[in-house]
Coordinates of all heavy atoms in Angstrom, one line a residue:
M167 N 0.8 -1.2 0.0 CA 0.0 0.0 0.0 C 0.9 1.2 0.0 O 0.6 2.2 -0.7 CB -0.9 0.0 1.2 CG -1.8 1.2 1.3 SD -2.8 1.3 2.8 CE -4.0 0.1 2.5
G168 N 1.9 1.2 0.8 CA 2.8 2.4 0.8 C 2.2 3.6 1.6 O 1.1 3.5 2.1
R169 N 3.1 4.5 1.9 CA 2.6 5.7 2.6 C 1.8 5.5 3.8 O 0.6 5.8 3.9 CB 1.9 6.7 1.7 CG 2.8 7.2 0.6 CD 2.1 7.9 -0.5 NE 2.8 8.1 -1.7 CZ 3.2 7.2 -2.6 NH1 3.0 5.9 -2.3 NH2 3.9 7.5 -3.6
A170 N 2.4 4.7 4.8 CA 1.7 4.4 6.1 C 0.8 3.2 6.0 O 0.1 2.9 6.9 CB 1.0 5.6 6.7
G171 N 0.9 2.4 4.9 CA 0.1 1.2 4.8 C 0.3 0.2 5.9 O -0.6 -0.4 6.4
A172 N 1.6 0.1 6.4 CA 1.9 -0.8 7.4 C 1.3 -0.4 8.7 O 0.8 -1.2 9.5 CB 3.4 -0.9 7.6
Q173 N 1.2 0.9 8.9 CA 0.5 1.4 10.2 C -1.0 1.3 10.1 O -1.6 1.0 11.1 CB 1.0 2.8 10.4 CG 2.4 3.0 10.8 CD 3.4 2.8 9.6 OE1 3.1 3.2 8.5 NE2 4.5 2.1 9.8
V174 N -1.6 1.6 8.9 CA -3.0 1.6 8.8 C -3.5 0.2 8.9 O -4.6 0.0 9.5 CB -3.4 2.2 7.4 CG1 -4.9 2.0 7.1 CG2 -3.1 3.7 7.3
T175 N -2.8 -0.8 8.4 CA -3.3 -2.2 8.4 C -2.7 -3.0 9.6 O -2.8 -4.2 9.6 CB -2.9 -2.9 7.1 OG1 -1.5 -2.8 6.9 CG2 -3.6 -2.1 5.9
A176 N -2.0 -2.4 10.5 CA -1.3 -3.1 11.6 C -2.2 -4.1 12.4 O -1.7 -5.1 12.9 CB -0.6 -2.1 12.5
D177 N -3.4 -3.8 12.5 CA -4.3 -4.6 13.3 C -5.0 -5.7 12.5 O -5.8 -6.5 13.1 CB -5.3 -3.8 14.1 CG -4.7 -2.9 15.1 OD1 -3.6 -3.2 15.6 OD2 -5.2 -1.8 15.3
M178 N -4.7 -5.9 11.3 CA -5.4 -6.9 10.5 C -4.8 -8.3 10.8 O -3.5 -8.4 10.7 CB -5.2 -6.6 9.0 CG -5.9 -5.3 8.5 SD -5.6 -5.0 6.8 CE -6.9 -5.8 6.1
D179 N -5.6 -9.2 11.2 CA -5.1 -10.5 11.6 C -4.2 -11.2 10.6 O -3.2 -11.8 10.9 CB -6.3 -11.4 12.0 CG -7.0 -11.0 13.2 OD1 -6.4 -10.3 14.0 OD2 -8.2 -11.4 13.4
L180 N -4.6 -11.2 9.3 CA -3.8 -11.9 8.3 C -2.9 -10.9 7.5 O -2.3 -11.3 6.5 CB -4.8 -12.6 7.4 CG -5.6 -13.7 8.0 CD1 -6.6 -14.3 7.0 CD2 -4.8 -14.8 8.7
G181 N -2.8 -9.7 7.9 CA -2.0 -8.7 7.2 C -0.6 -9.0 7.4 O -0.1 -9.6 8.4
V182 N 0.2 -8.5 6.4 CA 1.7 -8.6 6.4 C 2.2 -7.3 6.1 O 1.8 -6.7 5.1 CB 2.2 -9.7 5.4 CG1 3.7 -9.7 5.3 CG2 1.7 -11.1 5.8
S183 N 3.1 -6.7 6.9 CA 3.6 -5.4 6.7 C 5.1 -5.6 6.3 O 5.9 -6.3 6.9 CB 3.5 -4.5 7.9 OG 4.2 -5.0 9.0
V184 N 5.4 -5.0 5.1 CA 6.8 -5.1 4.6 C 7.3 -3.7 4.3 O 6.5 -2.8 4.0 CB 6.9 -6.0 3.4 CG1 6.5 -7.4 3.7 CG2 6.1 -5.5 2.2
R185 N 8.5 -3.5 4.3 CA 9.2 -2.3 3.9 C 10.2 -2.7 2.9 O 11.0 -3.6 3.1 CB 9.8 -1.6 5.1 CG 10.5 -0.3 4.7 CD 10.9 0.5 5.9 NE 11.7 1.7 5.7 CZ 11.3 2.8 5.3 NH1 10.0 3.0 5.1 NH2 12.1 3.8 5.0
I186 N 10.2 -1.9 1.8 CA 11.2 -2.2 0.7 C 12.2 -0.9 0.7 O 11.7 0.2 0.6 CB 10.6 -2.4 -0.6 CG1 9.7 -3.6 -0.5 CG2 11.7 -2.6 -1.7 CD1 8.9 -3.9 -1.8
V187 N 13.4 -1.2 0.9 CA 14.4 -0.1 0.9 C 15.4 -0.4 -0.2 O 15.5 -1.5 -0.8 CB 15.2 -0.1 2.3 CG1 14.2 0.2 3.4 CG2 15.9 -1.4 2.5
A188 N 16.2 0.6 -0.5 CA 17.3 0.5 -1.5 C 18.3 1.5 -1.3 O 18.0 2.6 -0.7 CB 16.7 0.6 -2.9
A189 N 19.5 1.3 -1.7 CA 20.6 2.3 -1.6 C 20.2 3.5 -2.4 O 19.5 3.5 -3.4 CB 21.9 1.7 -2.2
E190 N 20.6 4.7 -1.8 CA 20.2 5.9 -2.5 C 20.7 6.0 -3.9 O 20.0 6.5 -4.8 CB 20.8 7.1 -1.7 CG 20.4 8.4 -2.3 CD 20.8 9.7 -1.5 OE1 21.9 9.6 -0.8 OE2 20.1 10.7 -1.6
R191 N 21.9 5.5 -4.2 CA 22.4 5.5 -5.6 C 21.4 4.8 -6.6 O 21.2 5.2 -7.7 CB 23.8 5.0 -5.7 CG 23.9 3.5 -5.5 CD 25.3 2.9 -5.6 NE 25.3 1.5 -5.5 CZ 25.2 0.9 -4.3 NH1 25.1 1.5 -3.2 NH2 25.2 -0.4 -4.3
D192 N 20.9 3.7 -6.1 CA 19.9 2.9 -6.9 C 18.6 3.6 -7.0 O 18.0 3.6 -8.1 CB 19.7 1.5 -6.3 CG 21.0 0.7 -6.3 OD1 21.9 0.9 -7.2 OD2 21.2 -0.2 -5.5
R193 N 18.1 4.2 -6.0 CA 16.9 4.9 -6.0 C 17.0 6.2 -6.9 O 16.1 6.4 -7.7 CB 16.5 5.4 -4.6 CG 16.2 4.2 -3.7 CD 15.9 4.6 -2.3 NE 14.8 5.4 -2.2 CZ 14.6 6.4 -1.3 NH1 15.6 6.7 -0.5 NH2 13.5 7.1 -1.3
V194 N 18.1 6.9 -6.9 CA 18.4 8.0 -7.7 C 18.4 7.6 -9.2 O 17.8 8.2 -10.1 CB 19.7 8.8 -7.3 CG1 20.1 9.8 -8.4 CG2 19.5 9.5 -6.0
A195 N 19.1 6.5 -9.5 CA 19.2 6.0 -10.9 C 17.8 5.6 -11.4 O 17.5 6.0 -12.6 CB 20.1 4.8 -10.9
R196 N 17.0 5.0 -10.6 CA 15.6 4.6 -11.0 C 14.8 5.9 -11.3 O 14.1 5.9 -12.3 CB 15.0 3.7 -9.9 CG 13.6 3.4 -10.2 CD 13.5 2.1 -11.0 NE 12.1 1.7 -11.1 CZ 11.5 1.3 -12.2 NH1 12.2 1.3 -13.3 NH2 10.3 1.0 -12.2
M197 N 14.9 6.9 -10.4 CA 14.1 8.1 -10.6 C 14.6 8.8 -11.8 O 13.7 9.3 -12.6 CB 14.2 9.0 -9.4 CG 13.5 8.5 -8.1 SD 13.7 9.6 -6.7 CE 12.8 11.0 -7.3
M198 N 15.9 8.8 -12.1 CA 16.4 9.5 -13.3 C 15.8 8.8 -14.5 O 15.4 9.5 -15.5 CB 17.9 9.4 -13.3 CG 18.6 10.3 -12.3 SD 20.4 10.1 -12.2 CE 20.9 10.4 -13.8
E199 N 15.7 7.5 -14.5 CA 15.2 6.7 -15.6 C 13.7 6.9 -15.8 O 13.3 7.2 -16.9 CB 15.6 5.2 -15.4 CG 15.0 4.3 -16.5 CD 15.2 2.8 -16.1 OE1 16.2 2.5 -15.4 OE2 14.4 2.0 -16.6
V200 N 13.0 6.7 -14.8 CA 11.5 6.8 -14.9 C 11.0 8.2 -15.1 O 10.1 8.4 -15.9 CB 10.9 6.2 -13.6 CG1 9.4 6.4 -13.5 CG2 11.2 4.7 -13.5
L201 N 11.6 9.2 -14.5 CA 11.1 10.5 -14.6 C 11.8 11.4 -15.6 O 11.5 12.5 -15.8 CB 11.1 11.2 -13.2 CG 10.4 10.5 -12.1 CD1 10.6 11.3 -10.8 CD2 8.9 10.5 -12.4
D202 N 12.9 10.8 -16.2 CA 13.7 11.5 -17.2 C 14.2 12.8 -16.6 O 14.0 13.9 -17.2 CB 12.9 11.7 -18.5 CG 13.8 12.1 -19.6 OD1 15.1 11.8 -19.6 OD2 13.4 12.8 -20.5
I203 N 14.8 12.8 -15.5 CA 15.4 14.0 -14.8 C 16.9 13.8 -14.5 O 17.4 12.6 -14.6 CB 14.6 14.3 -13.5 CG1 14.7 13.1 -12.5 CG2 13.2 14.7 -13.8 CD1 14.0 13.4 -11.2
D204 N 17.5 14.9 -14.2 CA 19.0 14.8 -13.9 C 19.2 14.3 -12.5 O 18.3 14.2 -11.7 CB 19.7 16.1 -14.2 CG 19.2 17.2 -13.3 OD1 19.1 17.0 -12.1 OD2 18.9 18.3 -13.8
E205 N 20.5 13.9 -12.3 CA 20.9 13.3 -11.0 C 20.6 14.3 -9.8 O 20.1 13.8 -8.8 CB 22.3 12.9 -11.0 CG 22.8 12.3 -9.7 CD 24.2 11.8 -9.8 OE1 24.9 12.0 -10.8 OE2 24.7 11.2 -8.8
K206 N 20.9 15.5 -10.0 CA 20.6 16.5 -8.9 C 19.2 16.6 -8.5 O 18.8 16.6 -7.4 CB 21.2 17.9 -9.3 CG 21.0 18.9 -8.2 CD 21.6 20.3 -8.7 CE 21.5 21.3 -7.6 NZ 22.0 22.6 -8.1
S207 N 18.3 16.6 -9.5 CA 16.8 16.7 -9.3 C 16.3 15.4 -8.7 O 15.5 15.5 -7.8 CB 16.1 17.0 -10.6 OG 16.4 18.2 -11.2
A208 N 16.8 14.3 -9.1 CA 16.4 13.0 -8.6 C 16.8 12.9 -7.1 O 16.1 12.4 -6.3 CB 17.0 11.9 -9.4
T209 N 18.1 13.3 -6.8 CA 18.6 13.2 -5.4 C 17.7 14.1 -4.5 O 17.2 13.7 -3.5 CB 20.0 13.6 -5.4 OG1 20.8 12.7 -6.2 CG2 20.6 13.5 -3.9
A210 N 17.5 15.3 -4.9 CA 16.8 16.3 -4.1 C 15.3 15.8 -4.0 O 14.7 15.9 -2.9 CB 16.8 17.7 -4.7
G211 N 14.7 15.4 -5.0 CA 13.3 14.9 -5.0 C 13.2 13.7 -4.1 O 12.2 13.6 -3.3
G212 N 14.1 12.8 -4.1 CA 14.1 11.6 -3.3 C 14.2 11.9 -1.8 O 13.5 11.4 -0.9
Q213 N 15.1 12.8 -1.5 CA 15.4 13.2 -0.1 C 14.1 14.0 0.4 O 13.7 13.8 1.6 CB 16.6 14.1 0.0 CG 17.9 13.3 -0.2 CD 19.1 14.2 -0.4 OE1 19.1 15.4 -0.6 NE2 20.3 13.5 -0.3
R214 N 13.6 14.8 -0.4 CA 12.4 15.6 0.0 C 11.2 14.6 0.2 O 10.5 14.7 1.2 CB 12.0 16.6 -1.1 CG 10.8 17.5 -0.7 CD 10.6 18.6 -1.7 NE 10.5 18.1 -3.1 CZ 11.5 18.3 -4.0 NH1 12.6 18.9 -3.7 NH2 11.3 17.8 -5.2
R215 N 11.0 13.7 -0.7 CA 9.9 12.7 -0.5 C 10.1 11.8 0.7 O 9.2 11.6 1.5 CB 9.8 11.8 -1.8 CG 8.6 10.9 -1.8 CD 8.4 10.2 -3.1 NE 9.5 10.0 -4.0 CZ 9.8 10.8 -5.0 NH1 9.0 11.9 -5.3 NH2 10.8 10.6 -5.8
D216 N 11.3 11.4 1.0 CA 11.6 10.6 2.2 C 11.3 11.4 3.5 O 10.7 10.9 4.4 CB 13.1 10.2 2.2 CG 13.4 9.1 1.2 OD1 12.5 8.5 0.6 OD2 14.6 8.9 1.0
A217 N 11.7 12.6 3.5 CA 11.5 13.5 4.7 C 10.0 13.7 4.8 O 9.4 13.7 6.0 CB 12.2 14.8 4.5
D218 N 9.3 14.0 3.7 CA 7.8 14.2 3.8 C 7.1 13.0 4.3 O 6.2 13.1 5.2 CB 7.2 14.6 2.5 CG 7.7 16.0 2.0 OD1 8.2 16.8 2.8 OD2 7.5 16.3 0.8
R219 N 7.4 11.8 3.8 CA 6.8 10.6 4.3 C 7.1 10.3 5.7 O 6.2 9.9 6.5 CB 7.2 9.4 3.4 CG 6.6 9.5 2.0 CD 7.1 8.4 1.1 NE 6.5 8.5 -0.2 CZ 6.9 7.8 -1.2 NH1 7.9 6.9 -1.1 NH2 6.3 7.9 -2.4
A220 N 8.3 10.5 6.1 CA 8.7 10.2 7.5 C 8.0 11.2 8.5 O 7.5 10.8 9.5 CB 10.2 10.4 7.7
R221 N 7.9 12.4 8.1 CA 7.2 13.4 8.9 C 5.7 13.1 9.0 O 5.1 13.2 10.0 CB 7.3 14.8 8.2 CG 6.8 16.0 9.1 CD 7.2 17.3 8.5 NE 7.3 17.5 7.1 CZ 8.5 17.5 6.4 NH1 9.7 17.3 7.1 NH2 8.5 17.6 5.1
M222 N 5.0 12.7 7.9 CA 3.6 12.3 7.9 C 3.4 11.1 8.8 O 2.4 11.2 9.6 CB 3.2 12.0 6.5 CG 1.7 11.7 6.3 SD 1.1 10.0 6.5 CE 1.9 9.2 5.2
V223 N 4.2 10.1 8.7 CA 4.0 8.9 9.6 C 4.2 9.2 11.0 O 3.4 8.8 11.9 CB 4.8 7.7 9.1 CG1 4.8 6.6 10.1 CG2 4.4 7.3 7.7
R224 N 5.2 10.0 11.3 CA 5.5 10.4 12.7 C 4.3 11.3 13.2 O 3.8 11.1 14.3 CB 6.8 11.2 12.8 CG 7.0 11.6 14.3 CD 8.4 12.0 14.6 NE 9.5 11.1 14.4 CZ 9.7 10.0 15.1 NH1 9.0 9.7 16.1 NH2 10.8 9.2 14.8
S225 N 3.8 12.2 12.4 CA 2.7 13.1 12.8 C 1.4 12.3 13.1 O 0.7 12.6 14.1 CB 2.5 14.1 11.7 OG 1.4 14.9 11.9
H226 N 1.1 11.4 12.2 CA -0.2 10.7 12.3 C -0.2 9.5 13.2 O -1.2 9.1 13.8 CB -0.7 10.3 10.9 CG -1.1 11.5 10.1 ND1 -2.2 12.2 10.4 CD2 -0.6 12.0 9.0 CE1 -2.3 13.2 9.5 NE2 -1.4 13.1 8.6
F227 N 1.0 8.8 13.3 CA 1.1 7.6 14.0 C 2.1 7.6 15.2 O 2.2 6.6 15.9 CB 1.4 6.4 13.1 CG 0.3 6.2 12.0 CD1 0.6 6.8 10.7 CD2 -0.8 5.6 12.3 CE1 -0.4 6.6 9.8 CE2 -1.8 5.5 11.3 CZ -1.6 6.0 10.0
G228 N 2.9 8.6 15.3 CA 3.9 8.7 16.3 C 5.0 7.7 16.2 O 5.6 7.3 17.3
I229 N 5.3 7.2 15.0 CA 6.4 6.2 14.9 C 7.4 6.7 13.9 O 7.2 7.5 13.0 CB 5.8 4.9 14.5 CG1 5.1 4.9 13.2 CG2 4.9 4.3 15.6 CD1 4.9 3.5 12.6
D230 N 8.6 6.0 13.9 CA 9.6 6.2 13.0 C 9.6 5.2 11.9 O 9.7 4.0 12.2 CB 11.0 6.1 13.7 CG 12.2 6.3 12.8 OD1 12.0 6.5 11.6 OD2 13.3 6.2 13.4
I231 N 9.3 5.6 10.6 CA 9.1 4.6 9.6 C 10.4 3.8 9.3 O 10.3 2.7 8.7 CB 8.6 5.2 8.3 CG1 9.6 6.2 7.7 CG2 7.2 5.7 8.4 CD1 9.2 6.7 6.3
S232 N 11.5 4.3 9.7 CA 12.8 3.6 9.5 C 13.1 2.5 10.5 O 14.0 1.8 10.4 CB 14.0 4.5 9.3 OG 14.2 5.2 10.6
D233 N 12.3 2.4 11.6 CA 12.4 1.4 12.6 C 12.0 0.0 12.1 O 10.8 -0.2 11.8 CB 11.6 1.8 13.8 CG 11.7 0.8 15.0 OD1 12.4 -0.3 14.8 OD2 11.1 1.0 16.0
P234 N 12.9 -0.9 11.9 CA 12.6 -2.2 11.3 C 11.6 -3.0 12.1 O 11.0 -3.9 11.6 CB 13.9 -2.9 11.1 CG 14.8 -2.2 12.0 CD 14.3 -0.8 12.2
T235 N 11.5 -2.7 13.4 CA 10.6 -3.5 14.3 C 9.2 -3.2 14.0 O 8.3 -3.9 14.5 CB 10.9 -3.3 15.8 OG1 10.7 -2.0 16.1 CG2 12.4 -3.7 16.1
G236 N 8.9 -2.2 13.2 CA 7.5 -1.9 12.8 C 7.0 -2.7 11.7 O 5.8 -2.5 11.2
Y237 N 7.8 -3.7 11.1 CA 7.4 -4.4 10.0 C 7.6 -5.9 10.2 O 8.5 -6.3 11.0 CB 8.3 -4.0 8.8 CG 8.2 -2.5 8.5 CD1 9.1 -1.6 9.1 CD2 7.2 -1.9 7.7 CE1 9.0 -0.2 8.9 CE2 7.1 -0.6 7.6 CZ 8.0 0.3 8.1 OH 7.9 1.6 8.0
D238 N 6.9 -6.7 9.5 CA 7.1 -8.2 9.5 C 8.4 -8.5 8.8 O 9.1 -9.5 9.1 CB 6.0 -8.9 8.9 CG 4.7 -8.7 9.7 OD1 4.7 -8.9 10.9 OD2 3.7 -8.4 9.1
A239 N 8.7 -7.8 7.7 CA 10.0 -8.0 7.0 C 10.4 -6.7 6.3 O 9.6 -5.9 5.9 CB 9.7 -9.1 5.9
V240 N 11.7 -6.6 6.1 CA 12.3 -5.5 5.4 C 13.1 -6.1 4.3 O 14.0 -6.9 4.5 CB 13.1 -4.6 6.3 CG1 13.8 -3.4 5.5 CG2 12.3 -4.0 7.4
F241 N 12.9 -5.6 3.0 CA 13.6 -6.2 1.9 C 14.5 -5.1 1.3 O 14.0 -3.9 1.1 CB 12.7 -6.7 0.8 CG 11.9 -7.9 1.3 CD1 10.6 -7.7 1.8 CD2 12.4 -9.1 1.3 CE1 9.8 -8.7 2.3 CE2 11.6 -10.2 1.8 CZ 10.3 -10.0 2.2
N242 N 15.7 -5.4 0.9 CA 16.6 -4.5 0.3 C 16.6 -4.7 -1.2 O 17.2 -5.7 -1.7 CB 18.0 -4.7 0.8 CG 19.0 -3.6 0.3 OD1 18.8 -3.0 -0.7 ND2 20.1 -3.5 1.1
A243 N 16.0 -3.8 -2.0 CA 15.9 -3.9 -3.4 C 17.2 -3.7 -4.1 O 17.3 -4.0 -5.3 CB 14.8 -2.9 -4.0
S244 N 18.2 -3.2 -3.4 CA 19.6 -3.2 -4.0 C 20.3 -4.5 -4.0 O 21.2 -4.7 -4.7 CB 20.4 -2.1 -3.3 OG 19.9 -0.8 -3.5
R245 N 19.8 -5.4 -3.2 CA 20.4 -6.7 -3.1 C 19.5 -7.9 -3.5 O 20.0 -9.0 -3.6 CB 20.8 -6.9 -1.6 CG 21.8 -5.9 -1.2 CD 22.2 -6.1 0.3 NE 22.8 -7.4 0.5 CZ 24.0 -7.7 0.7 NH1 24.9 -6.7 0.7 NH2 24.4 -8.9 0.9
M246 N 18.2 -7.6 -3.7 CA 17.3 -8.6 -4.2 C 16.5 -8.1 -5.4 O 16.2 -6.9 -5.5 CB 16.2 -8.9 -3.1 CG 16.8 -9.5 -1.8 SD 15.5 -9.7 -0.5 CE 14.6 -11.1 -1.2
S247 N 16.2 -9.0 -6.3 CA 15.4 -8.6 -7.5 C 13.9 -8.5 -7.1 O 13.5 -8.9 -6.0 CB 15.5 -9.7 -8.5 OG 14.8 -10.9 -8.1
R248 N 13.2 -7.8 -7.9 CA 11.7 -7.7 -7.7 C 11.1 -9.1 -7.5 O 10.2 -9.3 -6.7 CB 11.1 -6.9 -8.8 CG 11.5 -5.5 -8.8 CD 10.8 -4.8 -10.0 NE 11.3 -3.4 -10.1 CZ 10.9 -2.6 -11.0 NH1 10.1 -3.0 -12.0 NH2 11.4 -1.3 -11.0
G249 N 11.5 -10.0 -8.4 CA 11.0 -11.3 -8.3 C 11.2 -12.0 -7.0 O 10.4 -12.7 -6.4
E250 N 12.5 -11.9 -6.5 CA 12.8 -12.5 -5.2 C 12.0 -11.9 -4.1 O 11.5 -12.6 -3.2 CB 14.3 -12.3 -4.9 CG 15.2 -13.1 -5.8 CD 16.7 -12.8 -5.6 OE1 17.0 -11.5 -5.5 OE2 17.5 -13.7 -5.5
I251 N 11.8 -10.6 -4.1 CA 11.0 -9.9 -3.1 C 9.6 -10.4 -3.2 O 9.0 -10.7 -2.2 CB 11.1 -8.4 -3.2 CG1 12.5 -7.9 -2.9 CG2 10.1 -7.7 -2.3 CD1 12.8 -6.4 -3.2
A252 N 9.0 -10.4 -4.4 CA 7.7 -10.9 -4.6 C 7.5 -12.3 -4.1 O 6.5 -12.6 -3.4 CB 7.3 -10.8 -6.0
E253 N 8.4 -13.2 -4.4 CA 8.3 -14.6 -3.9 C 8.3 -14.7 -2.4 O 7.6 -15.5 -1.8 CB 9.4 -15.4 -4.5 CG 9.2 -15.7 -6.0 CD 10.4 -16.4 -6.6 OE1 11.3 -16.9 -5.9 OE2 10.5 -16.5 -7.9
S254 N 9.2 -13.9 -1.8 CA 9.3 -13.9 -0.4 C 8.0 -13.4 0.3 O 7.6 -13.9 1.3 CB 10.5 -13.0 0.1 OG 11.7 -13.5 -0.4
V255 N 7.4 -12.3 -0.3 CA 6.2 -11.8 0.3 C 5.1 -12.8 0.1 O 4.3 -13.0 1.1 CB 5.8 -10.4 -0.3 CG1 4.4 -10.0 0.1 CG2 6.9 -9.4 0.0
V256 N 5.0 -13.4 -1.0 CA 3.9 -14.4 -1.2 C 4.1 -15.6 -0.2 O 3.1 -16.0 0.4 CB 4.0 -15.0 -2.7 CG1 3.1 -16.2 -2.8 CG2 3.5 -13.9 -3.7
A257 N 5.3 -16.0 0.0 CA 5.5 -17.1 1.0 C 5.1 -16.6 2.4 O 4.5 -17.4 3.1 CB 7.0 -17.5 1.0
L258 N 5.4 -15.4 2.7 CA 5.1 -14.9 4.0 C 3.6 -14.8 4.2 O 3.0 -15.2 5.2 CB 5.7 -13.5 4.2 CG 5.5 -12.8 5.6 CD1 6.1 -13.7 6.7 CD2 6.3 -11.5 5.6
V259 N 2.9 -14.3 3.2 CA 1.4 -14.2 3.2 C 0.8 -15.6 3.3 O -0.1 -15.9 4.1 CB 0.9 -13.4 2.0 CG1 -0.6 -13.6 1.9 CG2 1.3 -12.0 2.1
S260 N 1.3 -16.5 2.5 CA 0.8 -17.9 2.5 C 0.9 -18.6 3.8 O 0.0 -19.2 4.3 CB 1.5 -18.8 1.4 OG 1.3 -18.3 0.1
H261 N 2.1 -18.4 4.4 CA 2.3 -18.9 5.8 C 1.4 -18.3 6.8 O 0.8 -19.0 7.6 CB 3.8 -18.7 6.2 CG 4.1 -19.3 7.5 ND1 4.2 -20.7 7.7 CD2 4.3 -18.7 8.7 CE1 4.5 -20.9 9.0 NE2 4.6 -19.7 9.6
R262 N 1.2 -17.0 6.7 CA 0.3 -16.3 7.6 C -1.1 -16.8 7.5 O -1.8 -17.1 8.5 CB 0.4 -14.8 7.4 CG -0.5 -13.9 8.2 CD 0.0 -13.6 9.6 NE 1.4 -13.4 9.8 CZ 2.0 -12.2 9.9 NH1 1.2 -11.1 9.8 NH2 3.3 -12.0 10.1
V263 N -1.6 -17.0 6.3 CA -3.0 -17.4 6.0 C -3.2 -18.9 6.4 O -4.2 -19.2 7.0 CB -3.3 -17.2 4.5 CG1 -4.6 -17.9 4.1 CG2 -3.3 -15.7 4.1
S264 N -2.2 -19.7 6.1 CA -2.4 -21.2 6.5 C -2.1 -21.5 7.9 O -2.4 -22.6 8.4 CB -1.4 -22.0 5.6 OG -0.1 -21.8 5.9
G265 N -1.6 -20.5 8.6 CA -1.4 -20.7 10.1 C -0.3 -21.6 10.4 O 0.0 -22.1 11.4

């Protein structure tokens, strides 16, 4: 869900909260590619978006989004492919549902 999804759905019995992180260099490169912007704009935009999201979650829920204990799992997209992350999340959900 993103943007506080883990906090909004925290009380769901079968819910799974995950956070996907990546190295700044990888995030900047992706933003440059997707948004067709230069490195300086991508870096500034990413830092601004991170700060805005952290501030919103702290303001509404009183928590630090970077605290890994607030999630069932944290995945590093700089070290795992999208497919590996997806397979891991599916396995986690399947395990949660089957009990």
Side-chain angles (χ1 to χ4, degrees):
M167 179 186 288
R169 291 166 197 75
Q173 292 73 40
V174 172
T175 60
D177 293 333
M178 297 177 89
D179 290 338
L180 299 177
V182 173
S183 62
V184 300
R185 179 170 171 82
I186 301 174
V187 300
E190 185 176 25
R191 70 178 182 284
D192 295 332
R193 295 173 64 216
V194 167
R196 177 85 172 136
M197 288 179 65
M198 289 171 59
E199 177 186 331
V200 170
L201 301 176
D202 192 28
I203 57 177
D204 62 47
E205 184 175 0
K206 183 177 179 182
S207 297
T209 300
Q213 291 171 345
R214 185 175 48 254
R215 187 171 21 263
D216 287 348
D218 289 346
R219 289 177 179 170
R221 188 172 30 260
M222 185 270 298
V223 171
R224 181 165 300 287
S225 171
H226 291 293
F227 300 98
I229 62 167
D230 177 1
I231 62 171
S232 64
D233 178 1
T235 63
Y237 305 92
D238 296 312
V240 178
F241 297 97
N242 185 342
S244 292
R245 298 179 57 106
M246 297 177 72
S247 70
R248 291 178 184 175
E250 290 172 318
I251 294 170
E253 287 175 12
S254 297
V255 171
V256 167
L258 184 58
V259 170
S260 295
H261 182 71
R262 178 78 43 97
V263 171
S264 66

